[in-house]
Every structure is written in structure tokens, then in C-alpha cells.
Amino acid sequence: MKTVLMALLIGLVAIVLTMLVFTCSRKDIYDKLNAIFAMNTNIVLLIMVVGFIDGRYDMYIDIALSYAILGFVTTVILAKYIGGHRR
């Protein structure tokens, strides 16, 4: 089971790094924000997989939920900021 979780962890890290490269290569702010928000979701999954590998998934669930709430609040604030300044 740990082998499957390690393979999943490596895959998620590769996806996050690919999204980071995509974020740096795009010029439009909306593309960058969408990539960052998708990366946020994958990082929550990454935290959960690390928790299952470590065997202390109860602690990592709390960390992942906190990170997800922080990402949601950031999404709402940035959407309001960008949406409010559009002409």
C-alpha cells in the first residue's frame, strides 16, 4: 500500500511542478490565478497523501482543511479585488 501512496505522491508533486511552470509562463492574470487555485487543490491532496504515508492522517486532515479554508478565502478576496477593478 505504501508503494501505491508513494507513486501517488510523486505524481502529485509532478503535477504541482507542472502547474508552477504553467503559472510562470503565462502572461494573462486570469490564467495564472486559475493555475494557482488548481495548484491549491492538488497541494491539499498532497498533504493528505503524506498523512496516510506517515500514518498520522488525523493530524494531516486538520492541516489540509486549514490550508483549504485559507485557499478559499484567498480565492474570494482575489476575485472580489479583480472583479471590482474591471472596467
Side-chain angles (χ1 to χ4, degrees), residues 33-45:
L33 286 177
N34 282 333
I36 289 172
F37 298 148
M39 198 172 12
N40 184 26
T41 304
N42 285 327
I43 290 173
V44 170
L45 289 173

Side-chain angles (χ1 to χ4, degrees), residues 2 8 11 13 16 23 42-43 47 50 53 57 62 64 69 77:
K2 285 207 179 221
L8 184 61
V13 168
V16 168
T23 302
N42 285 327
I43 290 173
I47 292 170
V50 168
I53 290 172
Y57 52 86
D62 294 337
I69 291 170
I77 290 171

Side-chain angles (χ1 to χ4, degrees), residues 14-80:
I15 289 172
V16 168
L17 290 176
T18 304
M19 286 185 184
L20 188 63
V21 169
F22 179 79
T23 302
C24 294
S25 67
R26 302 301 284 186
K27 293 186 181 179
D28 190 25
I29 187 70
Y30 300 110
D31 290 340
K32 287 183 178 190
L33 286 177
N34 282 333
I36 289 172
F37 298 148
M39 198 172 12
N40 184 26
T41 304
N42 285 327
I43 290 173
V44 170
L45 289 173
L46 189 97
I47 292 170
M48 294 298 299
V49 170
V50 168
F52 281 112
I53 290 172
D54 191 31
R56 299 184 58 191
Y57 52 86
D58 52 347
M59 180 182 73
Y60 285 94
I61 287 174
D62 294 337
I63 294 170
L65 282 173
S66 301
Y67 188 81
I69 291 170
L70 181 66
F72 175 73
V73 170
T74 304
T75 303
V76 171
I77 290 171
L78 285 174
K80 180 68 175 168

Side-chain angles (χ1 to χ4, degrees), residues 82-87:
I82 291 173
H85 291 300
R86 190 171 33 169
R87 293 180 184 145

